[in-house]
Amino acid sequence: MINRVVLVGRLTRDPELRTTGSGISVATFTLAVDRQFTNAQGERGADFISCVIWRKSAENFCSFTSKGSLVGVDGRIQTRSYDNKDGQRVYVTEVIVDNFALLESRKDREARGQNGGYTPSNNGNAGASNTNNFQPNNGAASNNTNNNSNNSQNKPQDPFAGSGDTIDISDDDLPF
């Protein structure tokens, strides 16, 4: 069986770090993950996913993230249940995080902290041109009726052009 989860989203609040009775660190947080589609009003909804991270990873996660931080997590879904103080059975589904990645620069994180919320700043490169050749389409179908004058700007550039080096590849070098 496969139980694998990969999520990218923003923290809804600062992660909460606790220590178990046996001295193991555990942090809980909620990740807001945007949905791929919009509703009838054109608004994009979000899912709020409960996550748990353990041990040294939990301590590191709490040290480097805060409310609004953009993070990627890799883990598995786990369900559990318990009886609350009223005697009712409560079922909980959460992601147990194995690995995480910080997906924003320190500069963006500090700017967001100073402004009290999320403020995109061109991935920390204000005024710089986009050099990664990535053109997001937000899930929309490709529109090939663009103006021909923009075609040269939309084509990916050859990363090896102008290097002066030749690339010599024989059939023995290929894995297939």
Side-chain angles (χ1 to χ4, degrees), residues 29-42:
F29 59 95
T30 302
L31 205 59
V33 180
D34 286 340
R35 293 183 178 160
Q36 292 292 327
F37 54 89
T38 58
N39 62 17
Q41 292 78 28

Side-chain angles (χ1 to χ4, degrees), residues 23-148:
I24 298 173
S25 299
V26 59
T28 57
F29 59 95
T30 302
L31 205 59
V33 180
D34 286 340
R35 293 183 178 160
Q36 292 292 327
F37 54 89
T38 58
N39 62 17
Q41 292 78 28
E43 300 166 343
R44 189 174 303 270
D47 294 303
F48 298 91
I49 314 293
S50 298
C51 301
V52 178
I53 188 168
W54 292 86
R55 298 181 174 77
K56 186 65 175 172
S57 295
E59 296 170 17
N60 290 336
F61 189 83
C62 290
S63 295
F64 294 105
T65 61
S66 59
K67 178 180 178 179
S69 293
L70 181 64
V71 297
V73 298
D74 173 35
R76 59 188 168 81
I77 291 181
Q78 180 173 293
T79 58
R80 60 185 173 88
S81 63
Y82 63 92
D83 293 326
N84 67 8
K85 61 183 178 184
D86 297 330
Q88 297 174 330
R89 173 77 57 181
V90 177
Y91 294 93
V92 178
T93 302
E94 53 202 4
V95 173
I96 306 301
V97 177
D98 295 326
N99 297 304
F100 70 91
L102 306 175
L103 300 179
E104 65 184 347
S105 68
R106 177 174 287 171
K107 180 180 176 183
D108 285 348
R109 190 177 85 205
E110 290 170 353
R112 183 176 36 79
Q114 291 172 355
N115 295 331
Y118 170 63
T119 54
S121 64
N122 193 19
N123 294 332
N125 297 322
S129 64
N130 185 1
T131 58
N132 65 6
N133 296 325
F134 175 70
Q135 300 295 327
N137 66 1
N138 295 328
S142 176
N143 185 358
N144 292 329
T145 60
N146 288 346
N147 192 350
N148 286 340

Side-chain angles (χ1 to χ4, degrees), residues 2-15:
I2 298 173
N3 181 357
R4 212 71 224 148
V5 177
V6 178
L7 299 170
V8 174
R10 292 196 178 272
L11 297 182
T12 60
R13 63 182 190 278
D14 290 346

